[in-house]
Structures are given as C-alpha cells and as structure tokens.
Amino acid sequence: MIRPFDLNLRHLRALGQVIAQGSLNRAAEAAGLSQPALTQGLAKLEKQLGVTLFDRHSDGVTPSPAGTALAERVERAFDQLAAATRRSARGGTRGFARPELLMTATQLDAFLHFADAQGFAGAAAASGMSQPAVHRSVRELEQVCATPLAERRGRGMALTPAGRTLARGVRLAAGEIAAGIAEARGDEGEGGRIAIGAMPLSRALLLPHSLAQFLREEPRTVVDVVEGAWRELVDPLLDGIIDIMVGALRDDCPPGVEQVPLFTDRLAIFGRRGHPLAGGAVDLATLAAQSWVVGPVGTPLRAHWEALFAGRALPPVPIECGSVMVIRGLLVQSDLLTLLSPDQVALEVGAGMLERIGPRLPAAVRTIGISTRAGWRPTASQARFIDLLHRASKETRLQKNG
C-alpha cells in the first residue's frame, strides 16, 4: 500500500508546473530542478503508482487523466500546508516566503507520528525511524515555521498550539495526497479508504444498511468506523482523521463544518414490556413522576427530554448514560423510561422486549444527516458511499411509513 509521504513532495509539486508549461524543460526551470532530475522524478512517481502521469510526444508532454487527478489533489494538499503554516507561524518566517515548500515528506511523516504519539519514543516505534531522526525532523520543521511546535510537559512532550495547528494541516494534506493516489490509480489501486464517525442513531439501521451495500459495490475500499458522540468526533473530523460524521445535526455547528440533512427523526418514550404505564393513556404529569435514564446535560437528546417537561419540575434521573446499549439493557430489567429514536430500539421492540409508552411527541423531532469538513472533496468511492446514505435514508423511511 502506498502511503502519502512515500512520495517525494518536490516531485509532486512539479506536476502542476509540467501541466502548466507543457514542457519538461520549462517545468524544470520553474520548479528549480534540472531537466534530468525532473524526468527521473516523474519516472519514479509513475513506477511507484503504476500509472502513466504524462504522455510524451515530440513537442512536449500532456497530462494523462491520472496525472491531472493527482496534480489537482497535490495543489489542494499544499494549500492546506500553506494555510496551516501561516496560522502556526509567529514572528515572521525568517525570510521563507513559502515555508511549506521547504518541508520534506520525511519531516512531515515523522511530525505526524510525533503528534499522534506525543513523544519521540512512541513516534520512533510507530514509524520505524530512530528517535534522533524523529527529533531532527521536528526541530527542522520548527526552524522552517519559525515557532516551537513541541514542548516538554512533566515527563513527556506535547504539541504547542502552533504544533496542533500544523498537525491538522499536515493530516489534511496527507488526506488530499491519499485521495490523489486513489484517483490516479483508479481500478488498478487498492480502492482507497473512508473513515466514518458514527454517532449513536446511525449505528442501528442507517450505517449497517449503507455499509452492506457499499461493500458489495466497492469490495476493495477499506472502511474505518469510529464510534462516538458529536463532541468526541468533531475535532477528528476537522483534523482529517475521519472523513464524514453521520448522526444528529447541530444548531450550533462550528465553523469549518458543513451539514447535509438526510431525514427527520421523531423521538418516542420507551419502557420494558409490561411496564406499569404500558398500554394506557398517560399524561405528562404521570410521566414526570417516573424515574428516567437519559443522556448527559448538554446533548440534543437531553434537551428534547427537558423540553417535554417545560414549566414543571424535571423527573428524577438516577442514571445518566449516553450508551444506547446500556440504556436498552437497563430498560429491560427495570421500570425506568427513556427517550430515544425508534430506530435505536427497533430490534428490542420487534422482539417484544420493549414497547412505546405514553403519547406521540410531535415536537420531539431532530434532523439526522451528514457532517463534513467545509471544502472537502470526496473521492469517487467516498461520494458513492454518501449517495448510498441518501438512498438508505429514503428506503428506511418508506419502509416505516409504507
């Protein structure tokens, strides 16, 4: 498998010049390389990727579809590096007008391992580099950026604010190069990767349905599913660790995140089969006298639950829990009530373990959708998965309403 920083950044940067100039000689001059060095560099890239990036002819060169795809992604990658470098640098750049152009793949690879491990020993173990080599790469990047990127805290090391900013930019740049590799190789490649942040509701029906169909259509694509609440997933999304989040959308969406709705989810009250309130007419006063298990304060689901009892004292909550799996188990073995999406307990309701309690709740509605980074451009496989999410959301709604 080819990793983004297995490729020479200087040769990658030259792709755009070759396309713009249409000539290896002119491109080499513009890129500050000799013509033989550029020719050898392009040949090495083509060998690593197993594709032809340029068609050579008597009056110059023209990019192949693979070359165009890779060059576009490389440009986006260096835009990410440039933006992160500007934000992280302070006190000038010591005469470097474009610091990101001085960075090497080895330095960036070592720095990302250091950022993940928060230490030189861990970075060395994870990367296969020696500790002095990792240390040297981090210090070289500090010189390029003209600002400290790491500092000692207690017995360990930690990124400075500038280091965290640069680490985010490097991850996003690596993601763009990885996408470029997948797009350039097309049917000849491994299929690429997609990392999905799965919030609680999406795990029950929507994601399994979409993933099953996706793997039938894209068997070579590797899918990473990361479970978590919105607060746990939004920073990994912005950092480029995950590509999309699927779950309840937020009214207070932070800058840099774009949201696309899939469907509207109507919440309901659930309790065990045979609950004292099951099967009868139940008003809010009766519900307010019950004990509940609900999510922690500050979550959208908790806000919907509190809104049910607006104007009166909130019911007792002996257990606060954000795990749907734990909540389902508690409901089956107690008289606790909860507020959840019907999708999240569909299996238990179908098996006769849980049932709806009380009236319909027309005001308890939330929007389920997809969150991505602003400006993110998916690969063909990633776009296909998003299309399947839209299709699955429509199909499951039709089945429920049909």
Side-chain angles (χ1 to χ4, degrees):
M1 180 177 179
I2 302 173
R3 300 176 303 167
F5 294 134
D6 288 339
L7 306 180
N8 184 291
L9 294 186
R10 197 171 189 189
H11 297 154
L12 287 176
R13 286 195 296 267
L15 293 176
Q17 290 290 350
V18 177
I19 293 175
Q21 302 292 338
S23 161
L24 291 180
N25 283 330
R26 292 193 296 270
E29 183 178 355
L33 296 168
S34 67
Q35 193 273 336
L38 177 58
T39 301
Q40 292 173 11
L42 293 180
K44 183 177 179 181
L45 284 177
E46 291 178 324
K47 183 177 180 180
Q48 286 177 292
L49 297 173
V51 299
T52 298
L53 298 175
F54 293 94
D55 297 318
R56 282 80 168 172
H57 42 79
S58 59
D59 58 346
V61 295
T62 55
S64 67
T68 299
L70 182 58
E72 290 177 353
R73 288 291 187 174
V74 168
E75 182 178 0
R76 289 170 62 89
F78 276 93
D79 286 344
Q80 293 286 359
L81 281 178
T85 303
R86 287 194 300 270
R87 290 193 296 267
S88 63
R90 65 185 183 192
T93 53
R94 297 181 184 176
F96 301 144
R98 297 284 304 277
E100 73 279 3
L101 300 184
L102 302 176
M103 299 174 180
T104 69
T106 298
Q107 291 168 348
L108 296 182
D109 189 40
F111 179 66
L112 269 193
H113 280 98
F114 172 80
D116 291 337
Q118 294 287 291
F120 294 110
S127 66
M129 301 172 66
S130 66
Q131 286 193 49
V134 175
H135 188 276
R136 181 170 59 253
S137 291
V138 173
R139 296 311 176 204
E140 287 171 350
L141 285 178
E142 288 182 326
Q143 292 178 0
V144 169
C145 296
T147 189
L149 301 175
E151 60 187 4
R152 183 164 297 282
R153 292 183 187 171
R155 297 183 177 179
M157 298 292 295
L159 293 177
T160 63
R164 291 193 295 271
T165 297
L166 183 62
R168 173 173 289 183
V170 175
R171 286 193 186 95
L172 295 177
E176 291 290 351
I177 297 173
I181 293 171
E183 291 172 347
R185 301 187 76 190
D187 293 337
E188 302 301 320
E190 295 90 353
R193 303 181 72 91
I194 179 169
I196 304 162
M199 289 183 275
L201 175 61
S202 67
R203 304 169 200 162
L205 295 177
L206 180 62
L207 267 183
H209 183 97
S210 303
L211 285 171
Q213 181 61 32
F214 180 71
L215 292 179
R216 284 191 288 268
E217 299 182 11
E218 302 275 352
R220 293 180 302 165
T221 300
V222 177
V223 180
D224 298 320
V225 179
V226 181
E227 293 186 326
W230 184 88
R231 293 180 186 278
E232 298 168 327
L233 296 174
V234 67
D235 279 339
L237 176 73
L238 292 170
D239 283 342
I241 297 172
I242 60 177
D243 300 305
I244 67 172
M245 293 165 51
V246 186
L249 302 185
R250 290 301 197 269
D251 293 332
D252 56 345
C253 182
V257 176
E258 295 180 348
Q259 301 185 134
V260 176
L262 290 173
F263 61 89
T264 298
D265 182 49
R266 296 189 177 277
L267 302 171
I269 300 167
F270 292 94
R272 66 172 176 83
R273 183 180 182 183
H275 190 282
L277 300 184
V282 180
D283 57 20
L284 285 177
T286 302
L287 291 172
Q290 305 300 306
S291 293
W292 294 69
V293 51
V294 293
V297 174
T299 61
L301 195 59
R302 177 64 174 255
H304 280 293
W305 177 79
E306 292 176 354
L308 289 179
F309 303 101
R312 66 177 72 229
L314 292 175
V317 182
I319 298 178
E320 289 188 350
C321 180
S323 168
V324 176
M325 182 179 296
V326 173
I327 290 174
R328 290 190 300 233
L330 283 169
L331 295 183
V332 170
Q333 300 180 56
S334 72
D335 284 340
L336 292 170
L337 298 178
T338 197
L339 181 70
L340 284 176
S341 164
D343 286 355
Q344 292 175 292
V345 289
L347 293 177
E348 288 77 10
V349 171
M353 300 166 65
L354 301 177
E355 60 182 297
R356 287 196 183 205
I357 304 291
R360 300 265 177 191
L361 307 173
V365 175
R366 58 181 179 173
T367 301
I368 307 303
I370 301 167
S371 300
T372 62
R373 291 184 301 280
W376 178 65
R377 193 178 83 181
T379 63
S381 293
Q382 292 165 344
R384 178 61 181 154
F385 180 72
I386 291 174
D387 288 341
L388 289 173
L389 284 173
H390 283 278
R391 183 195 299 177
S393 68
K394 293 178 182 177
E395 290 176 353
T396 54
R397 294 310 109 187
L398 288 173
Q399 291 171 4
K400 292 177 68 174
N401 298 327

